[in-house]
Amino acid sequence: MYGYYSIEPEYFRMSDVARKLNIKGYGTNNLFRFLREKEILEINNQPKDEFVGLGYFKSVTNIAPIHRNCVFGVGSCRVSEKGIQFIKALIDESR
């Protein structure tokens, strides 16, 4: 379609979010732990629906073949730019 482009925001992996925030003590694993403790992420590191609805996070399923005629789906959490600002505010508030 001529002139068509996506206006969906870019979403980042949690490792990229940790690098962008660049806050000592908040690497990828500690960031996941912090967000679970704040009850933003579920125990499996998937975002809760209310935060997905706000546009902070997105849940993505990655499919990987593990054997002939068999695949394995793994969910991963992605964070929008708006979500990064939300996380930064939460960290600043907790310090």
Side-chain angles (χ1 to χ4, degrees):
M1 180 186 254
Y2 182 76
Y4 175 80
Y5 61 94
S6 175
I7 57 171
E8 182 176 325
E10 185 176 2
Y11 285 85
F12 303 93
R13 295 176 184 267
M14 198 62 76
S15 58
D16 297 327
V17 173
R19 260 186 251 116
K20 280 177 161 273
L21 289 174
N22 195 27
I23 299 173
K24 186 176 173 114
Y26 285 92
T28 305
N29 292 337
N30 287 339
L31 209 47
F32 275 122
R33 183 182 304 119
F34 175 77
L35 293 171
R36 283 192 307 268
E37 288 170 357
K38 292 289 186 180
E39 298 184 351
I40 294 166
L41 297 181
E42 301 285 352
I43 192 75
N44 62 355
N45 291 335
Q46 293 302 301
K48 291 192 175 180
D49 291 338
E50 63 186 282
F51 298 101
V52 171
L54 291 170
Y56 296 150
F57 301 94
K58 178 165 88 169
S59 184
V60 177
T61 303
N62 300 315
I63 305 291
I66 58 172
H67 189 52
R68 185 176 43 182
N69 299 328
C70 186
V71 295
F72 183 71
V74 178
S76 68
C77 177
R78 302 299 163 103
V79 186
S80 68
E81 193 65 47
K82 183 178 172 182
I84 294 172
Q85 297 307 314
F86 172 69
I87 292 169
K88 184 176 182 339
L90 282 175
I91 292 171
D92 290 345
E93 182 181 291
S94 71
R95 293 176 125 190

